[in-house]
Amino acid sequence: MALKTTAEVCGMGHSMKRKEDPRFIRGQGHYVDDIKLPGMVHLDIVRSPYAHAKITAIHTEKALAIPGVLAVITGKTLEQFNLHWMPTLMSDTQMVLPVEKVMYQAQEVAAVIATDRYIAADGVEAVEVEYEPLPVVVDPFKALEPGAPVLRTDKKDKKDNHIFHWEAGDRAGTDRAFAEADVKVKQDIYIPRIHVASIETCGCVADFDRAMGHLTVYMTTQAPHAIRTVFALVAGHVGLSEEKIRIVSPDIGGGFGGKVPVYPGYVIAVAASVVLGKPVKWIEDRMENLQADSFARDYHMTAELAAKRDGTMTALRIKTLADHGYADAAANPSKFPAGLFSICTGSYDLKHAFTEVDAAYTNKPPGGIAYRCSFRVTEAVHAIERITDVLAQELEMDPAELRLKNFIQPEQFPYKSALGWEYDSGDYPAALALAMKTIGYDELRREQAEKRRRGELMGIGISSFTEIVGAGPSKDFDILGIKMFDSAELRIHPTGKVIARFGTKSQGQGHETTYAQIVAEELGIPAAHVQVEEGDTDTAPYGLGTYASRSTPTSGAACAVAARKIREKAKKIAAYLLEASEDDLEWETGKFFVKGAPQKAKTIQEIAFAAYTNHPPGMEAGLEAVDYYDPPNLTFPFGSYICVVDIDRGTGAVKIRRFLAVDDCGNIINPMIVDGQIHGGLTMGMAPALLEEISYDENGNISGGSFMDYLVPTAMETPNWETAKTVTPSPHHPFGAKGVGESATVGAPPAIANAVVDALAHLGVRHIDIPITPEKVWDILKANGVAE
Ligand code: CDP
């Protein structure tokens, strides 16, 4: 895209350095744990050692006897106010604190409030809880077997552990296409439970002002407005009215979907502040964060693909069992219990498709959040990109050739998928062709063949994914009934400087920079002169927050539309100042001028000043606009990734030698930030492919509940990411952009898994579940007699 603005104005396409970084790199970010209020006290939580147990008694006397311990809150305390249960974002219910039984290991059991964090921790040690263990259900398949212990005994009519059944597509047509197919492949694919593991854990400072009945909560949330509304709806009966609730989301050290839900800790801190009349701080530690906050993935999928002998794909069928833990606390739009899993037809022109998802309760923490992905897109992409490679293997066809044969073609857009989505734009062959050329695909294949002859293990994996981001059109997308529009409010000061506020909330994505660049592009006011604010419900316009790569498609769009509204008014003021007709004026970034007389011009700064000092008679003073943007469609970013791995026959270790990501997110606001998003996303995509997993033994004991065994990647494991771009603008977005924040997390895992399987394909290996650990590979090498 050609640059329309100078480096001084720094509109779209400039790699402007991030405006937020001077405070971050100096250690002057302002996070929740930096907040210290006068009289503030601290909360710590007693957690269950059992995965399923009746609570027969909680003894608080010893804890209360510790000097500095102010209170111990239990489920019984909250029950008096009917606040011991709360709704989840999927309209299920979840305990704040238990009254009868615990449902997973590390569940909150009671809270100790003390004058000091260490005293609160001592108090936690001193609380004595008596448990009576109950049978534990860990495996979701067993959870659905007849006779399995029913976990949700709180639900009077619930006789099993089934949560929901959801399906999309044409079952009969797909079955017929399978019956008629020349070739069929079928593969069980599991994406394990993982965790966002953001650098900053969750926490809050709840500050209830008894005199004014006003509650301020500083909290780690990606969706402050929605949280305020939920608080008002859930606690309205105890006097918390929405106008008296202020949620402030300060700097956030990574959210990735994990900071969308309301966790019990937030609610307990609010209750404690109301009870004590003091500000209460709750900051979870790393183990609490990993063990109790919402998990991601945990999808057991069976994918099937049908094709003609020449490789033309004809039908896709995917059946999934989702393990939601003890409550369905996914952060999905209401109408989509399985998120946007129905993007699983991917980049391929599949005429027939059917998918169904069932969900089960187990004795694990609740969740099902969209970890850096647009509501189950990662799962969908993993399934289609893996089963495509299984088909390539079955057909003995090159996986690149198979993809190129089946891609939706550029002229087919807008493209209606078999599962009902209208893809806005794309050029999949161009992205894969660029990836193959840049990485030297043919040469790599030759090298692989040679190495294979020598007994060396090298693999090449491709993933040509399609994302679906920007939720969403309000006709289909809401969370707890609140429509998923988003907002921007721009106010131009007399000297031509801007305050811009949004309903979204950055957690590291650089919104302070990119939103300023959108204003700069639209109005010609230097991005340096645009102050961006998000996250304070008292000042920002209402919006649903930042997750699922929705900020650019929604608030970014709102920003451009609001700026254009301002330009309309600015034109009227310019016409007045220039004594010209509006029809005779033309806009050139930063100024209006009279057609044919470019010297007769008024800059946006001059117009802004006039808006407060010399505006036309009869016109309202000021220069500002608000927009609540309801996108007409989602945006469909895409990419083609190629990964090259070498496998050590002595250890089973997988080394990523090269990884090239070709991404297309339409028009780019800030190329440097987009590259940063891709680099981070690739690292977060590599993590579950090779390292990360949370699992449970048959008693519900967690493994992967601390950084001792939850292996987040470090610089040691992270290869040198190579990136390239194609640009296919979104036809419906005001400036042709698509979201990008999550593309790489979505696209990377199957590229890596496909590369490892490709390295071992000649041994008959067809699939390996992620994470592909050295142990798993080593077992395969040993079984095939090729281990060194
Ligand atoms: O919702 P979230 O901010 O996580 O995702 P996003 O809208 O995909 O944006 C991530 C970052 O990339 C933001 O700073 C965007 O403004 C930037 N971006 C961009 O510069 N150009 C695009 N076409 C898309 C995103």
Side-chain angles (χ1 to χ4, degrees):
M1 199 179 83
L3 297 180
K4 277 209 301 206
T5 56
T6 60
E8 194 205 341
V9 172
C10 240
M12 279 185 59
H14 287 277
S15 282
M16 181 184 188
K17 285 194 178 162
R18 300 197 335 162
K19 292 175 67 152
E20 42 273 86
D21 283 349
R23 72 174 185 280
F24 291 145
I25 60 179
R26 291 181 177 126
Q28 288 171 355
H30 198 56
Y31 299 91
V32 166
D33 203 21
D34 295 320
I35 292 166
K36 294 180 177 64
L37 300 181
M40 188 173 79
V41 296
H42 299 263
L43 184 154
D44 196 10
I45 292 176
V46 179
R47 292 179 183 273
S48 169
Y50 292 99
H52 197 195
K54 239 171 114 169
I55 296 174
T56 51
I58 301 180
H59 304 288
T60 60
E61 307 78 19
K62 284 186 189 155
L64 286 167
I66 297 174
V69 170
L70 303 173
V72 179
I73 293 182
T74 64
K76 290 233 160 77
T77 325
L78 297 180
E79 193 181 18
Q80 298 165 47
F81 307 99
N82 198 25
L83 286 175
H84 54 314
W85 284 86
M86 63 178 178
T88 70
L89 293 174
M90 284 314 284
S91 300
D92 196 354
T93 50
Q94 170 179 359
M95 286 178 241
V96 179
L97 285 173
V99 172
E100 281 163 15
K101 64 173 187 171
V102 287
M103 295 282 266
Y104 70 91
Q105 189 182 58
Q107 185 180 337
E108 300 81 359
V109 175
V112 177
I113 298 101
T115 49
D116 173 281
R117 177 70 175 79
Y118 294 96
I119 298 175
D122 289 345
V124 163
E125 291 296 313
V127 172
E128 290 166 348
V129 186
E130 291 176 29
Y131 298 95
E132 209 173 83
L134 294 166
V136 175
V137 180
V138 171
D139 180 336
F141 291 94
K142 289 193 179 146
L144 295 185
E145 280 172 7
V150 177
L151 299 183
R152 293 300 300 263
T153 43
D154 56 291
K155 295 180 187 237
K156 297 261 165 319
D157 301 326
K158 194 85 193 124
K159 300 280 180 279
D160 58 28
N161 297 313
H162 187 252
I163 308 176
F164 66 78
H165 173 84
W166 167 88
E167 58 183 56
D170 172 12
R171 186 194 291 262
T174 304
D175 289 351
R176 263 196 311 278
F178 266 90
E180 289 161 9
D182 299 339
V183 185
K184 287 168 259 194
V185 288
K186 183 173 183 177
Q187 185 62 55
D188 289 337
I189 300 168
Y190 176 51
I191 296 212
R193 191 170 265 250
I194 54 171
H195 198 282
V196 300
S198 49
I199 291 177
E200 181 202 31
T201 60
C202 289
C204 69
V205 177
D207 183 15
F208 183 69
D209 177 338
R210 274 185 177 166
M212 302 304 292
H214 194 286
L215 173 72
T216 305
V217 190
Y218 305 88
M219 66 190 277
T220 45
T221 176
Q222 298 174 228
H225 290 278
I227 297 288
R228 185 188 62 185
T229 304
V230 172
F231 273 19
L233 293 174
V234 173
H237 65 284
V238 292
L240 285 181
S241 179
E242 194 162 9
E243 82 285 8
K244 294 196 170 174
I245 303 173
R246 178 180 174 209
I247 306 291
V248 183
S249 186
D251 284 331
I252 295 193
F256 311 112
K259 288 174 179 162
V260 174
V262 175
Y263 294 118
Y266 298 132
V267 181
I268 306 167
V270 170
S273 182
V274 172
V275 169
L276 295 169
K278 290 175 187 290
V280 177
K281 182 182 271 190
W282 166 66
I283 304 287
E284 59 181 11
D285 67 24
R286 178 59 58 191
M287 285 168 69
E288 293 178 297
N289 177 261
L290 286 172
Q291 295 178 12
D293 288 1
S294 286
F295 71 92
R297 322 289 190 239
D298 220 343
Y299 256 34
H300 299 259
M301 304 176 284
T302 302
E304 294 172 88
L305 198 50
K308 293 187 192 160
R309 179 64 52 202
D310 70 355
T312 307
M313 296 176 184
T314 53
L316 174 77
R317 199 160 49 196
I318 305 181
K319 187 173 169 55
T320 297
L321 179 58
D323 182 344
H324 274 263
Y326 95 85
D328 184 2
N332 285 329
S334 305
K335 283 191 202 159
F336 300 90
L340 306 186
F341 189 77
S342 47
I343 192 69
C344 61
T345 51
S347 308
Y348 310 108
D349 189 13
L350 276 152
K351 298 282 181 276
H352 300 281
F354 177 73
T355 184
E356 58 188 322
V357 179
D358 286 276
Y361 288 127
T362 57
N363 286 118
K364 297 176 193 168
I369 51 146
Y371 169 5
R372 208 166 178 178
C373 97
S374 193
F375 316 116
R376 303 291 187 186
V377 175
T378 311
E379 290 87 332
V381 166
H382 199 69
I384 181 70
E385 288 304 299
R386 262 294 36 249
I387 196 71
T388 296
D389 263 36
V390 173
L391 177 65
Q393 221 170 320
E394 177 76 20
L395 293 167
E396 295 181 0
M397 201 167 164
D398 185 285
E401 192 190 335
L402 180 64
R403 284 176 170 81
L404 288 164
K405 190 174 186 65
N406 286 286
F407 278 150
I408 300 160
Q409 295 301 306
E411 61 277 8
Q412 286 177 274
F413 292 90
Y415 172 84
K416 187 90 181 193
S417 81
L419 295 178
W421 298 110
E422 187 178 293
Y423 293 20
D424 60 349
S425 62
D427 189 345
Y428 305 147
L432 182 53
L434 178 63
M436 291 170 73
K437 185 163 168 271
T438 309
I439 204 158
Y441 186 76
D442 295 338
E443 182 49 39
L444 285 168
R445 282 284 173 215
R446 274 192 290 277
E447 182 191 340
Q448 182 189 32
E450 213 170 278
K451 287 200 160 146
R452 206 167 262 181
R453 276 193 292 278
R454 294 203 300 265
E456 292 173 38
L457 300 173
M458 165 187 167
I460 306 161
I462 302 175
S463 150
S464 288
F465 64 91
T466 291
E467 264 240 278
I468 171 170
V469 307
S474 68
K475 65 178 170 34
D476 291 325
F477 287 83
D478 70 84
I479 287 192
L480 290 174
I482 310 167
K483 303 289 189 184
M484 293 187 77
F485 57 83
D486 227 296
S487 61
E489 179 195 280
L490 307 183
R491 201 175 291 168
I492 321 286
H493 305 314
T495 56
K497 312 297 189 293
V498 184
I499 175 92
R501 293 181 167 131
F502 300 88
T504 48
K505 174 62 204 168
S506 188
Q507 315 119 43
Q509 296 92 327
H511 290 180
E512 287 168 49
T513 310
T514 46
Y515 285 150
Q517 288 184 265
I518 298 170
V519 175
E521 178 80 4
E522 296 290 336
L523 294 177
I525 295 172
H529 295 168
V530 182
Q531 175 73 19
V532 170
E533 284 183 13
E534 300 174 292
D536 184 338
T537 55
D538 268 9
T539 54
Y542 203 98
L544 269 279
T546 290
Y547 39 85
S549 293
R550 66 186 296 278
S551 303
T552 305
T554 58
S555 271
C559 183
V561 175
R564 288 171 196 178
K565 289 180 188 173
I566 285 177
R567 222 157 63 193
E568 283 303 304
K569 182 168 180 185
K571 190 177 193 183
K572 291 187 187 349
I573 299 173
Y576 173 71
L577 297 176
L578 292 165
E579 295 177 351
S581 152
E582 268 185 68
D583 296 340
D584 291 336
L585 294 189
E586 256 183 50
W587 172 256
E588 182 192 285
T589 305
K591 64 178 182 214
F592 278 106
F593 66 93
V594 179
K595 276 181 213 161
Q599 74 287 359
K600 285 191 75 181
K602 286 290 168 195
T603 65
I604 187 75
Q605 288 81 7
E606 289 169 320
I607 296 168
F609 200 68
Y612 297 87
T613 59
N614 181 24
H615 54 289
M619 179 189 273
E620 260 182 75
L623 199 54
E624 59 186 68
V626 184
D627 190 72
Y628 289 84
Y629 187 79
D630 185 1
N633 190 6
L634 295 130
T635 67
F636 294 77
F638 60 94
S640 267
Y641 292 178
I642 301 184
C643 172
V644 183
V645 299
D646 296 306
I647 293 177
D648 183 339
R649 283 171 47 204
T651 62
V654 173
K655 181 170 167 38
I656 299 178
R657 191 202 318 164
R658 289 189 69 188
F659 194 111
L660 171 70
V662 173
D663 272 280
D664 194 319
C665 58
N667 289 332
I668 291 175
I669 305 164
N670 184 320
M672 184 185 67
I673 286 185
V674 166
D675 269 347
Q677 293 287 303
I678 303 285
H679 283 195
L682 290 170
T683 307
M684 285 185 117
M686 174 190 71
L690 298 178
L691 299 161
E692 296 175 352
E693 176 170 22
I694 287 179
S695 61
Y696 294 83
D697 71 11
E698 70 278 12
N699 295 317
N701 294 311
I702 190 168
S703 148
S706 82
F707 279 168
M708 289 292 285
D709 51 4
Y710 192 74
L711 305 177
V712 292
T714 69
M716 290 295 286
E717 293 81 26
T718 307
N720 176 37
W721 306 116
E722 301 167 56
T723 59
K725 306 276 174 306
T726 58
V727 176
T728 315
S730 166
H732 61 80
H733 185 274
F735 52 89
K738 303 180 178 188
V740 76
E742 301 168 336
S743 293
T745 337
V746 167
I752 297 168
N754 286 348
V756 179
V757 173
D758 183 60
L760 303 169
H762 60 294
L763 305 174
V765 175
R766 213 164 85 142
H767 174 76
I768 310 173
D769 277 330
I770 59 171
I772 304 179
T773 57
E775 190 187 358
K776 280 187 197 169
V777 177
W778 177 245
D779 284 343
I780 293 168
L781 300 182
K782 270 197 307 193
N784 288 280
V786 295
E788 261 175 4

